[in-house]
C-alpha cells in the first residue's frame, strides 16, 4: 500500500492508516526496506526531520521512489 508522507515543523509524518495502529509495519521504497515501526492509534509514524531515518525517506522521495508499507510478518 502506498502511504502518504507529510512534513510538519520538526517531524516527518508517515500515514499508514488507522487499521494498522499499534501493529508493526515495514516502510519500503520501491520494495527495499527502509525502516520498521509501530504507528500510533491514528495510524501515524513520526520521525524527527534531522534523523538518519528521515534522511533515508527524503532520499527515496527525491529519487522518485514509491513509499509503501506492509505488515511485519
Amino acid at each position: 500500500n502506498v502511504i502518504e508522507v507529510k512534513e510538519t515543523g520538526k517531524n516527518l509524518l508517515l500515514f499508514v492508516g488507522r487499521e494498522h495502529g499499534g501493529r508493526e509495519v515495514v516502510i519500503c521504497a520501491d520494495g527495499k526496506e527502509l525502516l520498521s515501526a509501530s504507528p500510533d492509534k491514528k495510524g501515524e509514524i513520526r520521525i524527527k526531520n534531522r534523523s538518519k531515518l528521515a534522511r533515508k525517506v527524503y532520499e527515496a522521495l527525491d529519487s522518485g521512489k514509491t513509499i509503501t508499507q506492509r505488515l511485519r510478518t
Side-chain angles (χ1 to χ4, degrees):
N1 299 350
V2 176
I3 62 171
E4 182 182 346
V5 179
K6 183 178 178 182
E7 187 176 345
T8 64
K10 295 181 180 181
N11 295 307
L12 180 65
L13 292 179
L14 308 176
F15 297 96
V16 298
R18 286 181 183 269
E19 67 275 11
H20 299 304
R23 300 171 73 187
E24 190 173 5
V25 295
V26 178
I27 305 300
C28 304
D30 283 351
K32 183 181 176 199
E33 187 173 321
L34 294 177
L35 64 112
S36 63
S38 295
D40 63 16
K41 64 183 176 185
K42 293 186 273 183
E44 298 175 349
I45 298 171
R46 294 178 186 274
I47 305 170
K48 293 288 183 195
N49 274 337
R50 296 177 184 231
S51 70
K52 288 181 183 180
L53 289 177
R55 259 183 261 135
K56 282 184 181 181
V57 176
Y58 284 127
E59 287 171 8
L61 289 169
D62 289 345
S63 62
K65 294 181 179 173
T66 302
I67 306 299
T68 58
Q69 57 96 18
R70 62 178 168 79
L71 288 175
R72 169 71 75 195
T73 54

